[in-house]
Amino acid sequence: MGISISTVSFVVNGKAKEKRISEPLTKKVLELVEELGYKPDALAKSFRTGKTNIIGFLVDDISEPFFPVLHDL
């Protein structure tokens, strides 16, 4: 294809204009992304950004009457 990994990364991460990647090349990369069905790996992204977007919820005792009601919300 002749497109560098860095270029693809910039396009996929929405930095094409910032990095001055041409519109035709951006369009070509996005078409290939769609054609190949590429989906970014959330775990790999979390390693890079340091953010997981996961919320944890700890329950001390699930037999309490308050907690079983929460799953129906």
Side-chain angles (χ1 to χ4, degrees):
M1 286 280 155
I3 304 171
S4 75
I5 294 170
S6 297
T7 300
V8 173
S9 178
F10 290 140
V11 171
V12 169
N13 290 305
K15 296 182 179 181
K17 287 190 180 197
E18 177 184 326
K19 298 298 182 178
R20 297 185 177 145
I21 299 170
S22 70
E23 284 293 322
L25 184 55
T26 300
K27 184 178 177 184
K28 182 178 180 179
V29 170
L30 293 175
E31 286 172 356
L32 287 170
V33 164
E34 180 72 26
E35 181 182 319
L36 297 172
Y38 172 77
K39 301 279 189 260
D41 186 294
L43 181 61
K45 186 174 182 179
S46 72
F47 285 139
R48 183 177 51 81
T49 64
K51 298 179 183 178
T52 62
N53 295 327
I54 295 174
I55 298 173
F57 183 71
L58 300 176
V59 178
D60 183 42
D61 184 3
I62 199 159
S63 66
E64 291 287 326
F66 172 75
F67 294 112
V69 176
L70 283 179
H71 74 82
D72 292 333
L73 294 177

